[in-house]
Amino acid sequence: MTNEIKIGDPVRIHLDEKFGERAGWYDGKVIKIDPYSEHRSFYWVELNEEAQIILGMKQISIFNPKNIKKID
């Protein structure tokens, strides 16, 4: 099994303390991947409905690979 993240994959993203009370893990789906370098990319994630309500946004880009995990 590969942990490579692809468009359409369900993922869990982490938002750090910069998000204050809204810091934590949220679920969504990868809708776009913008390569940045040979080893890193920007992952555009469409948040699930609950996360959209909490965060007040529909999409977010994640760059740090520690902050995005593929889920089953």
Side-chain angles (χ1 to χ4, degrees):
M1 183 173 97
T2 178
N3 283 336
E4 179 184 353
I5 297 173
K6 299 181 286 280
I7 293 173
D9 284 345
V11 293
R12 183 162 289 141
I13 63 159
H14 183 260
L15 302 180
D16 64 18
E17 62 277 352
K18 291 184 289 192
F19 285 83
E21 294 176 354
R22 299 178 295 172
W25 289 93
Y26 297 93
D27 292 346
K29 178 175 70 172
V30 176
I31 57 170
K32 183 178 177 183
I33 300 172
D34 287 329
Y36 176 76
S37 70
E38 185 178 342
H39 302 289
R40 291 182 95 170
S41 297
F42 285 97
Y43 294 93
W44 287 91
V45 175
E46 183 173 302
L47 299 164
N48 69 12
E49 188 175 338
E50 180 182 355
Q52 288 180 30
I53 292 168
I54 293 168
L55 298 171
M57 64 180 84
K58 185 173 181 170
Q59 301 173 0
I60 192 167
S61 67
I62 302 296
F63 181 67
N64 188 330
K66 295 186 313 186
N67 292 333
I68 185 166
K69 298 188 185 310
K70 188 173 173 180
I71 57 176
D72 296 326

